[in-house]
Amino acid sequence: MNLKYSLKNSYTIFVFFICLDVLAQKPLITDHSHTMLGLKKYHAMGYTGKGVTIAVLDNGFYKVDSIKAFEHLRNRNGILGTFDVIANDSNVFDRGSHGLYVLSTMVAFKKDSFVGSAPEANYLLVHTEDSRWEIHQEEQDWRTGALWAIENGADIINSSLGYSLFDSLEGDYAYQDMDGRTTLVTKAAEEASKNILVVNSAGNAGNQPWYRITAPCDGPSVFCIGAVDSFGEVASFSSRGPSADGRIKPNVSAMGARVAFINRQGNIQKASGTSFSSPLISGMMACLKQAFPNASNHLLMRSVEQSAGHYLNPNDSIGYGIPNVLVADSILRCALASETTYIKKTAPLVFPNPSNAVVFVDHSHPLRLLELRNITGELVLTENKGQIDISSLPRGTYFLYIEDINQHFWVKKIQK
């Protein structure tokens, strides 16, 4: 027997079987929506949301306690808690299905076919939406659910819900109410945003007379998510911005047209809506939080916006565009490094401070954005020039966020 010939042919056969194995590995049905965001590579780098807790506020999570696609989540005790606000109990698994669909986008798993956007995150499941009607009480229930999520250690809220028009005699909102400070649910979301990152779907009114975003997506601190199709173009149904007071909304967008999810029977299905683009981004934010646990939610959101394809020319359809988590990762690394190095060398001069009128910012780099926040983190003033007028504000302590064209960040304490 010719040993050399035998080894050569054995090697050939070995390589042949490897090739067959590679060819047999079909792409996951979730690959495209993840690749658009850079998530597939980020997952491969080990950032899967591990150690981060996402609270899902929705209409129930039908059979998540038994559907096989969530078996890995249950086996690792990844459901940290459940709360039905409406029934005031912990049973959320015999309620509505919308929450099941949304949750599956983030954490469901089927070998060789499906993986969620944050497959190793932990989850809190909160039933706040009553599918039987549309009433203002649901806004109060949203607030109750959000506060419960905060008390139970959530880092992120995903809310694929929106409020604008209500049942008869309830009283509708008008577009003018989408100003970030009027609706009940937006006030609740802004309250929650002091402690947690709130990610919310923009709404599905793009083909309807309402057309615009719905509450609480109008909140200044709420990360509002629009929908695009598989080609990266705005989905016709995606609700449009801006907020009623002219702010960029949605903030960013992700795939929301024909997105794969797990249905009531535990099978893979496709459907469309910003209800699916929002959890894609929530999962991405969880992966970033895993990578940068000490980064503020404000910095995380700004970095994700800057990573998006339309950052320099945002619009009312997709906001700053489709973000890329790999680019956001790089921006965050630069920003956090600048806090200990760059800032010491070329920090901007802020004067006069204290001040009762105009505060000036003198800096060696062109300024892109100034944001003034109060001590609770609420946004009170925005400016893109080298000065900000605080004469109309009450006395107190404020914090000035400064952004230049090199994407460096500072926070300065302002006293009035």
Side-chain angles (χ1 to χ4, degrees), residues 144-155:
T144 301
L147 293 175
W148 179 87
I150 292 168
E151 291 172 359
N152 284 273
D155 301 295

Side-chain angles (χ1 to χ4, degrees), residues 57-346:
L57 274 57
D58 221 289
N59 77 335
F61 305 86
Y62 184 74
K63 289 190 175 180
V64 167
D65 59 340
S66 60
I67 290 175
K68 187 172 178 58
F70 298 96
E71 185 176 39
H72 74 295
L73 175 65
R74 298 191 299 267
N75 288 345
R76 64 177 174 84
N77 297 314
I79 300 175
L80 300 186
T82 60
F83 180 34
D84 186 331
V85 176
I86 299 167
N88 193 28
D89 61 31
S90 60
N91 182 18
V92 300
F93 300 121
D94 62 355
R95 308 298 194 247
S97 302
H98 189 265
L100 154 69
Y101 307 155
V102 170
L103 178 66
S104 72
T105 309
M106 291 182 279
V107 74
F109 176 78
K110 280 179 172 280
K111 187 178 180 181
D112 298 328
S113 59
F114 191 106
V115 66
S117 59
E120 292 192 289
N122 296 318
Y123 291 86
L124 294 166
L125 309 182
V126 194
H127 179 200
T128 65
E129 178 74 3
D130 196 326
S131 302
R132 296 172 295 177
W133 42 59
E134 193 75 350
I135 58 178
H136 288 290
Q137 178 60 44
E138 292 173 291
E139 298 181 85
Q140 300 287 6
D141 292 341
W142 193 102
R143 179 179 183 273
T144 301
L147 293 175
W148 179 87
I150 292 168
E151 291 172 359
N152 284 273
D155 301 295
I156 297 170
I157 284 177
N158 181 84
S159 167
S160 291
L161 304 169
Y163 301 91
S164 56
L165 306 177
F166 296 84
D167 293 346
S168 299
L169 304 180
E170 278 287 310
D172 294 337
Y173 287 128
Y175 172 55
Q176 289 72 23
D177 296 320
M178 304 296 131
D179 58 3
R181 58 181 182 274
T182 297
T183 72
L184 296 173
V185 72
T186 299
K187 290 177 181 178
E190 286 297 298
E191 179 185 4
S193 293
K194 297 172 186 176
N195 300 285
I196 199 170
L197 173 59
V198 178
V199 182
N200 207 97
S201 56
N204 300 325
N207 290 326
Q208 300 171 13
W210 177 270
Y211 189 68
R212 301 293 186 180
I213 60 169
T214 54
C217 232
D218 58 314
S221 302
V222 176
F223 213 35
C224 178
I225 313 302
V228 297
D229 61 22
S230 60
F231 298 101
E233 300 296 326
V234 62
S236 60
F237 59 80
S238 187
S239 291
R240 308 305 208 273
S243 63
D245 56 337
R247 287 173 288 108
I248 295 295
K249 292 285 177 175
N251 295 81
V252 295
S253 296
M255 188 168 159
R258 292 190 54 76
V259 176
F261 67 96
I262 304 299
N263 64 19
R264 290 168 61 95
Q265 291 73 42
N267 300 320
I268 297 173
Q269 187 176 328
K270 287 187 176 182
S272 300
T274 54
S275 288
F276 299 109
S277 56
S278 180
L280 282 171
I281 295 295
S282 289
M284 187 185 81
M285 301 306 285
C287 296
L288 278 173
K289 271 189 167 291
Q290 177 192 351
F292 301 94
N294 297 320
S296 69
N297 291 332
H298 180 69
L299 179 56
L300 286 170
M301 287 191 291
R302 288 301 181 202
S303 299
V304 169
E305 287 174 350
Q306 290 169 33
S307 77
H310 284 262
Y311 180 64
L312 296 179
N313 57 335
N315 59 50
D316 295 337
S317 297
I318 60 173
Y320 291 102
I322 303 169
N324 186 302
V325 70
L326 301 169
V327 177
D329 182 286
S330 297
I331 292 171
L332 280 161
R333 292 184 192 280
C334 290
L336 294 172
S338 73
E339 292 181 358
T340 56
T341 56
Y342 183 87
I343 187 172
K344 296 179 180 178
K345 298 178 182 178
T346 58

